[in-house]
Amino acid sequence: LQTIVDKTMYRPENRMTAIHYDATRRQLVTAATRPKAWPLRSWEARSGMCHSDSVACALYNPNFHQVVSGDHSSNVCVWEVETGKMRFRFGSAHGTAKITAMAFDKAHRRLITGAHDGTLKVWNF
């Protein structure tokens, strides 16, 4: 997980409209009225692995400055934004069902996860 911050103030018509990952140069390219390249760094050696399958959802929690990600193997991981380190991991959050949706409540204190089998779960955050 890497956080990219662009402190440039944009006019509404300059909001990001396209995104592409350039595997050859290991960079993310974003575009509004002009492209901008973002070099990527690997944190795997420091943060460890969490997801063993495709990540379906990722959410930012502004209360705790953390990102929560959920994958198709039903793992939910909580990451520190500043360091990229994994803080928590919940395995088999929905048993063997794939996580397909996640959201926070309005206060960002509860995480709601949804799975391919139609189940919803609410987690205190």
Side-chain angles (χ1 to χ4, degrees):
L1 172 71
Q2 181 177 348
T3 302
I4 299 172
V5 178
D6 182 5
K7 295 184 181 185
T8 307
M9 295 298 292
Y10 293 102
R11 297 184 307 230
E13 64 271 16
N14 287 347
R15 291 195 178 127
M16 186 184 326
T17 56
I19 188 168
H20 172 73
Y21 176 67
D22 181 349
T24 305
R25 294 182 182 89
R26 290 192 35 82
Q27 64 185 5
L28 192 65
V29 179
T30 60
T33 56
R34 63 183 148 175
K36 183 170 184 173
W38 303 86
L40 302 179
R41 300 175 303 225
S42 175
W43 293 62
E44 288 179 26
R46 293 190 305 207
S47 62
M49 296 294 291
C50 176
H51 297 293
S52 57
D53 208 336
S54 300
V55 172
C57 310
L59 303 171
Y60 176 69
N61 186 310
N63 292 350
F64 300 104
H65 305 287
Q66 294 174 328
V67 169
V68 180
S69 55
D71 70 19
H72 286 172
S73 291
S74 202
N75 295 311
V76 175
C77 299
V78 179
W79 307 87
E80 291 293 333
V81 171
E82 290 83 14
T83 65
K85 291 183 180 180
M86 182 177 53
R87 301 304 296 164
F88 307 103
R89 179 178 187 266
F90 305 96
S92 301
H94 282 267
T96 58
K98 296 178 181 180
I99 291 176
T100 56
M102 294 189 329
F104 281 112
D105 70 348
K106 187 174 181 177
H108 294 94
R109 300 292 297 181
R110 289 190 175 82
L111 174 69
I112 301 118
T113 57
H116 190 261
D117 64 359
T119 60
L120 290 175
K121 292 193 177 184
V122 180
W123 310 82
N124 288 331
F125 200 74

